[in-house]
mmCIF file of all heavy atoms in Angstrom:
data_model
loop_
_atom_site.group_PDB
_atom_site.id
_atom_site.type_symbol
_atom_site.label_atom_id
_atom_site.label_comp_id
_atom_site.label_asym_id
_atom_site.label_seq_id
_atom_site.Cartn_x
_atom_site.Cartn_y
_atom_site.Cartn_z
ATOM 1 N N MET M 396 69.188 154.737 113.419
ATOM 2 C CA MET M 396 68.146 155.617 113.915
ATOM 3 C C MET M 396 68.521 157.056 113.588
ATOM 4 O O MET M 396 69.680 157.438 113.692
ATOM 5 C CB MET M 396 67.992 155.477 115.419
ATOM 6 C CG MET M 396 67.470 154.147 115.887
ATOM 7 S SD MET M 396 67.340 154.115 117.676
ATOM 8 C CE MET M 396 65.599 154.216 117.853
ATOM 9 N N GLY M 397 67.529 157.827 113.283
ATOM 10 C CA GLY M 397 67.751 159.228 112.976
ATOM 11 C C GLY M 397 67.799 160.087 114.229
ATOM 12 O O GLY M 397 67.423 159.680 115.326
ATOM 13 N N ARG M 398 68.266 161.308 114.045
ATOM 14 C CA ARG M 398 68.397 162.257 115.164
ATOM 15 C C ARG M 398 67.053 162.548 115.821
ATOM 16 O O ARG M 398 66.947 162.610 117.040
ATOM 17 C CB ARG M 398 69.022 163.543 114.652
ATOM 18 C CG ARG M 398 69.243 164.565 115.742
ATOM 19 C CD ARG M 398 69.843 165.819 115.196
ATOM 20 N NE ARG M 398 71.218 165.554 114.823
ATOM 21 C CZ ARG M 398 72.090 166.485 114.503
ATOM 22 N NH1 ARG M 398 71.730 167.741 114.498
ATOM 23 N NH2 ARG M 398 73.310 166.168 114.182
ATOM 24 N N LYS M 399 66.014 162.709 115.000
ATOM 25 C CA LYS M 399 64.689 163.025 115.546
ATOM 26 C C LYS M 399 64.165 161.891 116.419
ATOM 27 O O LYS M 399 63.624 162.126 117.501
ATOM 28 C CB LYS M 399 63.716 163.311 114.411
ATOM 29 C CG LYS M 399 62.364 163.775 114.867
ATOM 30 C CD LYS M 399 61.483 164.153 113.705
ATOM 31 C CE LYS M 399 60.146 164.652 114.187
ATOM 32 N NZ LYS M 399 59.273 165.043 113.068
ATOM 33 N N ARG M 400 64.355 160.660 115.976
ATOM 34 C CA ARG M 400 63.886 159.514 116.749
ATOM 35 C C ARG M 400 64.648 159.411 118.078
ATOM 36 O O ARG M 400 64.061 159.138 119.122
ATOM 37 C CB ARG M 400 64.056 158.232 115.951
ATOM 38 C CG ARG M 400 63.560 157.012 116.703
ATOM 39 C CD ARG M 400 63.658 155.779 115.885
ATOM 40 N NE ARG M 400 62.423 155.652 115.110
ATOM 41 C CZ ARG M 400 62.173 154.668 114.271
ATOM 42 N NH1 ARG M 400 63.071 153.749 114.060
ATOM 43 N NH2 ARG M 400 61.031 154.611 113.636
ATOM 44 N N ILE M 401 65.948 159.639 118.037
ATOM 45 C CA ILE M 401 66.754 159.601 119.267
ATOM 46 C C ILE M 401 66.313 160.702 120.226
ATOM 47 O O ILE M 401 66.169 160.471 121.432
ATOM 48 C CB ILE M 401 68.256 159.738 118.941
ATOM 49 C CG1 ILE M 401 68.754 158.519 118.173
ATOM 50 C CG2 ILE M 401 69.081 159.952 120.204
ATOM 51 C CD1 ILE M 401 68.690 157.227 118.945
ATOM 52 N N ARG M 402 66.102 161.913 119.716
ATOM 53 C CA ARG M 402 65.636 163.006 120.577
ATOM 54 C C ARG M 402 64.298 162.679 121.219
ATOM 55 O O ARG M 402 64.084 162.948 122.399
ATOM 56 C CB ARG M 402 65.529 164.307 119.779
ATOM 57 C CG ARG M 402 66.847 164.951 119.536
ATOM 58 C CD ARG M 402 66.663 166.292 118.905
ATOM 59 N NE ARG M 402 67.955 166.933 118.721
ATOM 60 C CZ ARG M 402 68.118 168.100 118.174
ATOM 61 N NH1 ARG M 402 67.078 168.795 117.744
ATOM 62 N NH2 ARG M 402 69.322 168.611 118.047
ATOM 63 N N ASN M 403 63.390 162.100 120.449
ATOM 64 C CA ASN M 403 62.085 161.714 121.001
ATOM 65 C C ASN M 403 62.227 160.627 122.059
ATOM 66 O O ASN M 403 61.561 160.664 123.093
ATOM 67 C CB ASN M 403 61.147 161.245 119.887
ATOM 68 C CG ASN M 403 60.678 162.375 119.012
ATOM 69 O OD1 ASN M 403 60.707 163.538 119.411
ATOM 70 N ND2 ASN M 403 60.264 162.055 117.800
ATOM 71 N N LEU M 404 63.105 159.655 121.808
ATOM 72 C CA LEU M 404 63.351 158.597 122.782
ATOM 73 C C LEU M 404 63.922 159.169 124.078
ATOM 74 O O LEU M 404 63.450 158.846 125.167
ATOM 75 C CB LEU M 404 64.310 157.564 122.197
ATOM 76 C CG LEU M 404 64.760 156.449 123.136
ATOM 77 C CD1 LEU M 404 63.578 155.606 123.585
ATOM 78 C CD2 LEU M 404 65.814 155.594 122.472
ATOM 79 N N LEU M 405 64.916 160.054 123.982
ATOM 80 C CA LEU M 405 65.500 160.663 125.168
ATOM 81 C C LEU M 405 64.484 161.527 125.911
ATOM 82 O O LEU M 405 64.454 161.536 127.139
ATOM 83 C CB LEU M 405 66.736 161.475 124.803
ATOM 84 C CG LEU M 405 67.929 160.662 124.290
ATOM 85 C CD1 LEU M 405 69.049 161.596 123.847
ATOM 86 C CD2 LEU M 405 68.410 159.685 125.333
ATOM 87 N N ALA M 406 63.640 162.236 125.180
ATOM 88 C CA ALA M 406 62.600 163.046 125.812
ATOM 89 C C ALA M 406 61.610 162.162 126.566
ATOM 90 O O ALA M 406 61.195 162.492 127.682
ATOM 91 C CB ALA M 406 61.874 163.891 124.766
ATOM 92 N N THR M 407 61.245 161.039 125.979
ATOM 93 C CA THR M 407 60.326 160.110 126.635
ATOM 94 C C THR M 407 60.945 159.533 127.901
ATOM 95 O O THR M 407 60.291 159.467 128.951
ATOM 96 C CB THR M 407 59.930 158.969 125.671
ATOM 97 O OG1 THR M 407 59.301 159.535 124.535
ATOM 98 C CG2 THR M 407 58.990 157.984 126.339
ATOM 99 N N LEU M 408 62.210 159.115 127.835
ATOM 100 C CA LEU M 408 62.892 158.574 129.004
ATOM 101 C C LEU M 408 63.018 159.623 130.105
ATOM 102 O O LEU M 408 62.878 159.315 131.286
ATOM 103 C CB LEU M 408 64.268 158.029 128.621
ATOM 104 C CG LEU M 408 64.273 156.786 127.742
ATOM 105 C CD1 LEU M 408 65.691 156.462 127.288
ATOM 106 C CD2 LEU M 408 63.649 155.609 128.453
ATOM 107 N N THR M 409 63.258 160.875 129.727
ATOM 108 C CA THR M 409 63.330 161.967 130.698
ATOM 109 C C THR M 409 61.973 162.194 131.354
ATOM 110 O O THR M 409 61.883 162.331 132.578
ATOM 111 C CB THR M 409 63.827 163.258 130.027
ATOM 112 O OG1 THR M 409 65.123 163.023 129.475
ATOM 113 C CG2 THR M 409 63.919 164.399 131.017
ATOM 114 N N ASP M 410 60.922 162.204 130.556
ATOM 115 C CA ASP M 410 59.567 162.386 131.088
ATOM 116 C C ASP M 410 59.184 161.263 132.054
ATOM 117 O O ASP M 410 58.459 161.492 133.021
ATOM 118 C CB ASP M 410 58.542 162.460 129.955
ATOM 119 C CG ASP M 410 58.676 163.724 129.125
ATOM 120 O OD1 ASP M 410 59.329 164.684 129.585
ATOM 121 O OD2 ASP M 410 58.131 163.741 127.995
ATOM 122 N N MET M 411 59.688 160.070 131.803
ATOM 123 C CA MET M 411 59.395 158.925 132.662
ATOM 124 C C MET M 411 60.261 158.924 133.925
ATOM 125 O O MET M 411 60.039 158.128 134.829
ATOM 126 C CB MET M 411 59.628 157.624 131.892
ATOM 127 C CG MET M 411 58.652 157.408 130.752
ATOM 128 S SD MET M 411 59.112 156.006 129.705
ATOM 129 C CE MET M 411 58.937 154.661 130.849
ATOM 130 N N GLY M 412 61.242 159.811 133.983
ATOM 131 C CA GLY M 412 62.120 159.887 135.139
ATOM 132 C C GLY M 412 63.237 158.855 135.134
ATOM 133 O O GLY M 412 63.886 158.627 136.151
ATOM 134 N N LEU M 413 63.456 158.217 133.989
ATOM 135 C CA LEU M 413 64.490 157.196 133.911
ATOM 136 C C LEU M 413 65.877 157.782 133.670
ATOM 137 O O LEU M 413 66.875 157.171 134.039
ATOM 138 C CB LEU M 413 64.157 156.185 132.812
ATOM 139 C CG LEU M 413 62.864 155.403 133.028
ATOM 140 C CD1 LEU M 413 62.593 154.496 131.845
ATOM 141 C CD2 LEU M 413 62.935 154.605 134.307
ATOM 142 N N ILE M 414 65.937 158.941 133.023
ATOM 143 C CA ILE M 414 67.213 159.614 132.804
ATOM 144 C C ILE M 414 67.045 161.098 133.073
ATOM 145 O O ILE M 414 65.936 161.629 133.031
ATOM 146 C CB ILE M 414 67.772 159.419 131.375
ATOM 147 C CG1 ILE M 414 66.852 160.067 130.323
ATOM 148 C CG2 ILE M 414 68.026 157.961 131.060
ATOM 149 C CD1 ILE M 414 67.438 160.114 128.933
ATOM 150 N N ASP M 415 68.156 161.748 133.360
ATOM 151 C CA ASP M 415 68.219 163.209 133.439
ATOM 152 C C ASP M 415 69.279 163.650 132.454
ATOM 153 O O ASP M 415 70.326 163.008 132.335
ATOM 154 C CB ASP M 415 68.617 163.683 134.837
ATOM 155 C CG ASP M 415 67.495 163.568 135.840
ATOM 156 O OD1 ASP M 415 66.324 163.628 135.416
ATOM 157 O OD2 ASP M 415 67.782 163.424 137.031
ATOM 158 N N THR M 416 69.014 164.706 131.728
ATOM 159 C CA THR M 416 70.010 165.230 130.800
ATOM 160 C C THR M 416 70.342 166.664 131.159
ATOM 161 O O THR M 416 69.491 167.418 131.620
ATOM 162 C CB THR M 416 69.514 165.184 129.340
ATOM 163 O OG1 THR M 416 68.281 165.878 129.242
ATOM 164 C CG2 THR M 416 69.326 163.767 128.851
ATOM 165 N N CYS M 417 71.594 167.001 130.952
ATOM 166 C CA CYS M 417 72.076 168.361 131.162
ATOM 167 C C CYS M 417 72.840 168.750 129.906
ATOM 168 O O CYS M 417 73.835 168.111 129.560
ATOM 169 C CB CYS M 417 72.973 168.425 132.393
ATOM 170 S SG CYS M 417 73.606 170.075 132.701
ATOM 171 N N ARG M 418 72.363 169.768 129.218
ATOM 172 C CA ARG M 418 72.976 170.178 127.956
ATOM 173 C C ARG M 418 73.709 171.491 128.120
ATOM 174 O O ARG M 418 73.280 172.372 128.848
ATOM 175 C CB ARG M 418 71.912 170.332 126.874
ATOM 176 C CG ARG M 418 71.213 169.054 126.547
ATOM 177 C CD ARG M 418 70.184 169.261 125.462
ATOM 178 N NE ARG M 418 69.461 168.025 125.237
ATOM 179 C CZ ARG M 418 68.221 167.959 124.853
ATOM 180 N NH1 ARG M 418 67.545 169.057 124.634
ATOM 181 N NH2 ARG M 418 67.638 166.797 124.682
ATOM 182 N N SER M 419 74.821 171.605 127.425
ATOM 183 C CA SER M 419 75.571 172.856 127.371
ATOM 184 C C SER M 419 76.086 173.040 125.944
ATOM 185 O O SER M 419 75.860 172.188 125.086
ATOM 186 C CB SER M 419 76.735 172.840 128.360
ATOM 187 O OG SER M 419 77.764 171.987 127.898
ATOM 188 N N ARG M 420 76.800 174.107 125.713
ATOM 189 C CA ARG M 420 77.376 174.319 124.381
ATOM 190 C C ARG M 420 78.452 173.288 124.065
ATOM 191 O O ARG M 420 78.719 172.994 122.918
ATOM 192 C CB ARG M 420 78.001 175.705 124.294
ATOM 193 C CG ARG M 420 77.014 176.813 124.329
ATOM 194 C CD ARG M 420 77.723 178.129 124.159
ATOM 195 N NE ARG M 420 76.816 179.237 124.369
ATOM 196 C CZ ARG M 420 77.175 180.478 124.315
ATOM 197 N NH1 ARG M 420 78.428 180.796 124.072
ATOM 198 N NH2 ARG M 420 76.287 181.422 124.511
ATOM 199 N N VAL M 421 79.081 172.775 125.088
ATOM 200 C CA VAL M 421 80.211 171.869 124.906
ATOM 201 C C VAL M 421 79.778 170.408 124.785
ATOM 202 O O VAL M 421 80.275 169.670 123.944
ATOM 203 C CB VAL M 421 81.211 172.016 126.083
ATOM 204 C CG1 VAL M 421 82.375 171.064 125.928
ATOM 205 C CG2 VAL M 421 81.691 173.448 126.186
ATOM 206 N N ALA M 422 78.853 169.977 125.644
ATOM 207 C CA ALA M 422 78.485 168.557 125.665
ATOM 208 C C ALA M 422 77.130 168.365 126.326
ATOM 209 O O ALA M 422 76.584 169.278 126.930
ATOM 210 C CB ALA M 422 79.534 167.761 126.435
ATOM 211 N N SER M 423 76.608 167.168 126.192
ATOM 212 C CA SER M 423 75.406 166.758 126.907
ATOM 213 C C SER M 423 75.784 165.617 127.836
ATOM 214 O O SER M 423 76.565 164.746 127.469
ATOM 215 C CB SER M 423 74.327 166.283 125.940
ATOM 216 O OG SER M 423 73.895 167.348 125.131
ATOM 217 N N VAL M 424 75.211 165.638 129.033
ATOM 218 C CA VAL M 424 75.504 164.602 130.015
ATOM 219 C C VAL M 424 74.187 163.970 130.441
ATOM 220 O O VAL M 424 73.219 164.666 130.708
ATOM 221 C CB VAL M 424 76.227 165.197 131.246
ATOM 222 C CG1 VAL M 424 76.443 164.136 132.304
ATOM 223 C CG2 VAL M 424 77.531 165.834 130.828
ATOM 224 N N MET M 425 74.172 162.632 130.483
ATOM 225 C CA MET M 425 72.997 161.914 130.952
ATOM 226 C C MET M 425 73.333 161.182 132.239
ATOM 227 O O MET M 425 74.414 160.617 132.360
ATOM 228 C CB MET M 425 72.537 160.893 129.917
ATOM 229 C CG MET M 425 71.680 161.475 128.853
ATOM 230 S SD MET M 425 70.928 160.191 127.858
ATOM 231 C CE MET M 425 72.320 159.636 126.931
ATOM 232 N N THR M 426 72.405 161.218 133.169
ATOM 233 C CA THR M 426 72.531 160.423 134.385
ATOM 234 C C THR M 426 71.331 159.484 134.450
ATOM 235 O O THR M 426 70.300 159.732 133.835
ATOM 236 C CB THR M 426 72.582 161.295 135.650
ATOM 237 O OG1 THR M 426 71.404 162.092 135.715
ATOM 238 C CG2 THR M 426 73.796 162.196 135.648
ATOM 239 N N PHE M 427 71.485 158.422 135.202
ATOM 240 C CA PHE M 427 70.445 157.409 135.333
ATOM 241 C C PHE M 427 69.993 157.322 136.788
ATOM 242 O O PHE M 427 70.381 156.405 137.513
ATOM 243 C CB PHE M 427 70.977 156.048 134.852
ATOM 244 C CG PHE M 427 71.329 156.040 133.392
ATOM 245 C CD1 PHE M 427 72.577 156.464 132.970
ATOM 246 C CD2 PHE M 427 70.403 155.652 132.453
ATOM 247 C CE1 PHE M 427 72.904 156.466 131.622
ATOM 248 C CE2 PHE M 427 70.722 155.652 131.103
ATOM 249 C CZ PHE M 427 71.971 156.061 130.688
ATOM 250 N N PRO M 428 69.176 158.273 137.247
ATOM 251 C CA PRO M 428 68.748 158.280 138.650
ATOM 252 C C PRO M 428 67.827 157.123 139.011
ATOM 253 O O PRO M 428 67.614 156.857 140.186
ATOM 254 C CB PRO M 428 68.033 159.616 138.801
ATOM 255 C CG PRO M 428 67.549 159.932 137.436
ATOM 256 C CD PRO M 428 68.589 159.369 136.502
ATOM 257 N N CYS M 429 67.296 156.407 138.029
ATOM 258 C CA CYS M 429 66.396 155.285 138.316
ATOM 259 C C CYS M 429 67.163 154.053 138.772
ATOM 260 O O CYS M 429 66.586 153.137 139.339
ATOM 261 C CB CYS M 429 65.561 154.954 137.096
ATOM 262 S SG CYS M 429 66.533 154.365 135.701
ATOM 263 N N LEU M 430 68.474 154.025 138.539
ATOM 264 C CA LEU M 430 69.284 152.875 138.927
ATOM 265 C C LEU M 430 69.917 153.116 140.290
ATOM 266 O O LEU M 430 70.470 154.178 140.539
ATOM 267 C CB LEU M 430 70.402 152.632 137.906
ATOM 268 C CG LEU M 430 69.954 152.363 136.472
ATOM 269 C CD1 LEU M 430 71.155 152.260 135.557
ATOM 270 C CD2 LEU M 430 69.126 151.100 136.397
ATOM 271 N N THR M 431 69.831 152.145 141.153
ATOM 272 C CA THR M 431 70.448 152.301 142.468
ATOM 273 C C THR M 431 71.898 151.869 142.464
ATOM 274 O O THR M 431 72.665 152.262 143.327
ATOM 275 C CB THR M 431 69.695 151.501 143.539
ATOM 276 O OG1 THR M 431 69.671 150.131 143.153
ATOM 277 C CG2 THR M 431 68.286 152.032 143.726
ATOM 278 N N GLY M 432 72.303 151.076 141.477
ATOM 279 C CA GLY M 432 73.690 150.650 141.409
ATOM 280 C C GLY M 432 73.923 149.671 140.275
ATOM 281 O O GLY M 432 72.996 149.291 139.561
ATOM 282 N N TRP M 433 75.185 149.280 140.121
ATOM 283 C CA TRP M 433 75.591 148.353 139.085
ATOM 284 C C TRP M 433 76.376 147.223 139.713
ATOM 285 O O TRP M 433 77.108 147.407 140.675
ATOM 286 C CB TRP M 433 76.492 149.052 138.065
ATOM 287 C CG TRP M 433 75.816 150.123 137.307
ATOM 288 C CD1 TRP M 433 75.193 150.001 136.109
ATOM 289 C CD2 TRP M 433 75.695 151.505 137.670
ATOM 290 N NE1 TRP M 433 74.700 151.228 135.703
ATOM 291 C CE2 TRP M 433 74.988 152.161 136.653
ATOM 292 C CE3 TRP M 433 76.112 152.258 138.763
ATOM 293 C CZ2 TRP M 433 74.706 153.512 136.684
ATOM 294 C CZ3 TRP M 433 75.826 153.606 138.794
ATOM 295 C CH2 TRP M 433 75.118 154.215 137.753
ATOM 296 N N GLU M 434 76.260 146.041 139.127
ATOM 297 C CA GLU M 434 77.068 144.915 139.564
ATOM 298 C C GLU M 434 78.332 144.886 138.715
ATOM 299 O O GLU M 434 78.269 144.944 137.486
ATOM 300 C CB GLU M 434 76.299 143.603 139.401
ATOM 301 C CG GLU M 434 77.057 142.411 139.938
ATOM 302 C CD GLU M 434 76.247 141.132 139.875
ATOM 303 O OE1 GLU M 434 75.016 141.210 139.689
ATOM 304 O OE2 GLU M 434 76.853 140.056 140.020
ATOM 305 N N THR M 435 79.482 144.798 139.365
ATOM 306 C CA THR M 435 80.759 144.768 138.658
ATOM 307 C C THR M 435 81.076 143.345 138.209
ATOM 308 O O THR M 435 80.421 142.385 138.633
ATOM 309 C CB THR M 435 81.896 145.311 139.545
ATOM 310 O OG1 THR M 435 81.993 144.493 140.706
ATOM 311 C CG2 THR M 435 81.646 146.748 139.945
ATOM 312 N N VAL M 436 82.084 143.210 137.367
ATOM 313 C CA VAL M 436 82.462 141.912 136.829
ATOM 314 C C VAL M 436 82.858 140.938 137.944
ATOM 315 O O VAL M 436 82.546 139.746 137.872
ATOM 316 C CB VAL M 436 83.638 142.078 135.827
ATOM 317 C CG1 VAL M 436 84.130 140.740 135.329
ATOM 318 C CG2 VAL M 436 83.213 142.942 134.661
ATOM 319 N N ASP M 437 83.494 141.451 138.983
ATOM 320 C CA ASP M 437 83.933 140.578 140.076
ATOM 321 C C ASP M 437 82.838 140.303 141.106
ATOM 322 O O ASP M 437 83.091 139.699 142.142
ATOM 323 C CB ASP M 437 85.171 141.151 140.759
ATOM 324 C CG ASP M 437 84.934 142.508 141.410
ATOM 325 O OD1 ASP M 437 83.807 143.033 141.308
ATOM 326 O OD2 ASP M 437 85.883 143.047 142.003
ATOM 327 N N GLY M 438 81.608 140.738 140.836
ATOM 328 C CA GLY M 438 80.482 140.469 141.724
ATOM 329 C C GLY M 438 80.222 141.540 142.764
ATOM 330 O O GLY M 438 79.292 141.427 143.542
ATOM 331 N N GLY M 439 81.024 142.596 142.776
ATOM 332 C CA GLY M 439 80.806 143.694 143.713
ATOM 333 C C GLY M 439 79.695 144.614 143.238
ATOM 334 O O GLY M 439 79.167 144.462 142.137
ATOM 335 N N ILE M 440 79.330 145.547 144.067
ATOM 336 C CA ILE M 440 78.273 146.504 143.743
ATOM 337 C C ILE M 440 78.840 147.913 143.780
ATOM 338 O O ILE M 440 79.535 148.292 144.724
ATOM 339 C CB ILE M 440 77.104 146.411 144.743
ATOM 340 C CG1 ILE M 440 76.474 145.017 144.714
ATOM 341 C CG2 ILE M 440 76.047 147.487 144.493
ATOM 342 C CD1 ILE M 440 75.722 144.698 143.432
ATOM 343 N N THR M 441 78.538 148.683 142.732
ATOM 344 C CA THR M 441 78.875 150.104 142.694
ATOM 345 C C THR M 441 77.571 150.871 142.791
ATOM 346 O O THR M 441 76.687 150.708 141.949
ATOM 347 C CB THR M 441 79.597 150.471 141.381
ATOM 348 O OG1 THR M 441 80.783 149.693 141.281
ATOM 349 C CG2 THR M 441 79.936 151.939 141.333
ATOM 350 N N SER M 442 77.392 151.670 143.823
ATOM 351 C CA SER M 442 76.132 152.396 143.996
ATOM 352 C C SER M 442 76.116 153.649 143.133
ATOM 353 O O SER M 442 77.151 154.224 142.817
ATOM 354 C CB SER M 442 75.913 152.752 145.460
ATOM 355 O OG SER M 442 76.925 153.623 145.899
ATOM 356 N N ASN M 443 74.938 154.073 142.751
ATOM 357 C CA ASN M 443 74.743 155.252 141.923
ATOM 358 C C ASN M 443 74.657 156.477 142.835
ATOM 359 O O ASN M 443 73.741 156.580 143.644
ATOM 360 C CB ASN M 443 73.458 155.111 141.111
ATOM 361 C CG ASN M 443 73.231 156.257 140.151
ATOM 362 O OD1 ASN M 443 73.995 157.208 140.102
ATOM 363 N ND2 ASN M 443 72.173 156.152 139.364
ATOM 364 N N PRO M 444 75.582 157.425 142.697
ATOM 365 C CA PRO M 444 75.536 158.612 143.551
ATOM 366 C C PRO M 444 74.442 159.606 143.165
ATOM 367 O O PRO M 444 74.202 160.571 143.880
ATOM 368 C CB PRO M 444 76.926 159.218 143.370
ATOM 369 C CG PRO M 444 77.329 158.798 142.005
ATOM 370 C CD PRO M 444 76.725 157.431 141.809
ATOM 371 N N LEU M 445 73.756 159.384 142.050
ATOM 372 C CA LEU M 445 72.768 160.344 141.559
ATOM 373 C C LEU M 445 71.365 159.765 141.519
ATOM 374 O O LEU M 445 70.642 159.924 140.560
ATOM 375 C CB LEU M 445 73.172 160.823 140.155
ATOM 376 C CG LEU M 445 74.517 161.526 140.083
ATOM 377 C CD1 LEU M 445 74.924 161.755 138.643
ATOM 378 C CD2 LEU M 445 74.481 162.828 140.846
ATOM 379 N N THR M 446 70.934 159.111 142.589
ATOM 380 C CA THR M 446 69.572 158.578 142.631
ATOM 381 C C THR M 446 68.592 159.704 142.951
ATOM 382 O O THR M 446 68.988 160.772 143.400
ATOM 383 C CB THR M 446 69.441 157.468 143.686
ATOM 384 O OG1 THR M 446 69.773 158.007 144.955
ATOM 385 C CG2 THR M 446 70.330 156.287 143.362
ATOM 386 N N HIS M 447 67.317 159.482 142.719
ATOM 387 C CA HIS M 447 66.291 160.499 142.957
ATOM 388 C C HIS M 447 66.311 161.010 144.399
ATOM 389 O O HIS M 447 66.103 162.172 144.652
ATOM 390 C CB HIS M 447 64.896 159.962 142.635
ATOM 391 C CG HIS M 447 64.578 159.934 141.188
ATOM 392 N ND1 HIS M 447 64.486 161.062 140.420
ATOM 393 C CD2 HIS M 447 64.359 158.896 140.341
ATOM 394 C CE1 HIS M 447 64.197 160.736 139.189
ATOM 395 N NE2 HIS M 447 64.121 159.431 139.105
ATOM 396 N N GLU M 448 66.563 160.116 145.342
ATOM 397 C CA GLU M 448 66.528 160.497 146.744
ATOM 398 C C GLU M 448 67.679 161.434 147.105
ATOM 399 O O GLU M 448 67.580 162.233 148.019
ATOM 400 C CB GLU M 448 66.600 159.264 147.649
ATOM 401 C CG GLU M 448 65.398 158.352 147.546
ATOM 402 C CD GLU M 448 65.476 157.439 146.332
ATOM 403 O OE1 GLU M 448 66.579 157.101 145.873
ATOM 404 O OE2 GLU M 448 64.402 157.082 145.812
ATOM 405 N N GLN M 449 68.802 161.343 146.380
ATOM 406 C CA GLN M 449 69.990 162.105 146.731
ATOM 407 C C GLN M 449 70.113 163.421 145.961
ATOM 408 O O GLN M 449 70.897 164.266 146.310
ATOM 409 C CB GLN M 449 71.238 161.259 146.494
ATOM 410 C CG GLN M 449 71.273 160.051 147.401
ATOM 411 C CD GLN M 449 72.342 159.067 146.970
ATOM 412 O OE1 GLN M 449 72.773 159.061 145.839
ATOM 413 N NE2 GLN M 449 72.761 158.230 147.896
ATOM 414 N N ARG M 450 69.348 163.581 144.897
ATOM 415 C CA ARG M 450 69.465 164.782 144.073
ATOM 416 C C ARG M 450 68.714 165.947 144.699
ATOM 417 O O ARG M 450 67.721 165.773 145.387
ATOM 418 C CB ARG M 450 68.869 164.556 142.681
ATOM 419 C CG ARG M 450 69.705 163.672 141.825
ATOM 420 C CD ARG M 450 69.111 163.560 140.439
ATOM 421 N NE ARG M 450 67.750 163.035 140.558
ATOM 422 C CZ ARG M 450 66.728 163.448 139.834
ATOM 423 N NH1 ARG M 450 66.869 164.379 138.952
ATOM 424 N NH2 ARG M 450 65.547 162.916 139.995
ATOM 425 N N GLU M 451 69.175 167.140 144.419
ATOM 426 C CA GLU M 451 68.452 168.353 144.791
ATOM 427 C C GLU M 451 67.878 168.932 143.527
ATOM 428 O O GLU M 451 68.571 169.102 142.551
ATOM 429 C CB GLU M 451 69.397 169.353 145.448
ATOM 430 C CG GLU M 451 69.904 168.899 146.795
ATOM 431 C CD GLU M 451 70.773 169.962 147.439
ATOM 432 O OE1 GLU M 451 70.646 171.142 147.063
ATOM 433 O OE2 GLU M 451 71.570 169.601 148.305
ATOM 434 N N GLU M 452 66.607 169.208 143.528
ATOM 435 C CA GLU M 452 65.952 169.776 142.341
ATOM 436 C C GLU M 452 66.054 171.278 142.378
ATOM 437 O O GLU M 452 66.040 171.909 143.356
ATOM 438 C CB GLU M 452 64.493 169.348 142.294
ATOM 439 C CG GLU M 452 64.325 167.861 142.098
ATOM 440 C CD GLU M 452 64.707 167.394 140.712
ATOM 441 O OE1 GLU M 452 64.584 168.160 139.735
ATOM 442 O OE2 GLU M 452 65.162 166.253 140.586
#
């Protein structure tokens, strides 16, 4: 995939509220506020600290 297609995909996901991106001169960081948590290999649950309800806009 080309850079333009990836940028458009990330912009679409951001518009849908599925990801948040924070860009700086050093790096870009993406968070997934649409996910409430992940299931670990051992069957445990890791909750997402950056859900929509917990973020401050």
Side-chain angles (χ1 to χ4, degrees):
M396 293 180 107
R398 182 181 289 191
K399 186 175 182 179
R400 181 177 272 180
I401 293 296
R402 283 187 178 179
N403 289 339
L404 175 63
L405 293 175
T407 300
L408 292 173
T409 300
D410 291 343
M411 293 171 65
L413 298 177
I414 64 171
D415 285 333
T416 55
C417 180
R418 297 181 184 149
S419 73
R420 291 183 188 178
V421 179
S423 295
V424 176
M425 277 191 287
T426 58
F427 296 86
C429 64
L430 301 175
T431 58
W433 295 267
E434 184 175 345
T435 60
V436 176
D437 62 358
I440 299 291
T441 301
S442 63
N443 184 357
L445 299 171
T446 60
H447 281 296
E448 294 81 28
Q449 296 168 338
R450 288 184 302 141
E451 292 183 22
E452 295 289 330

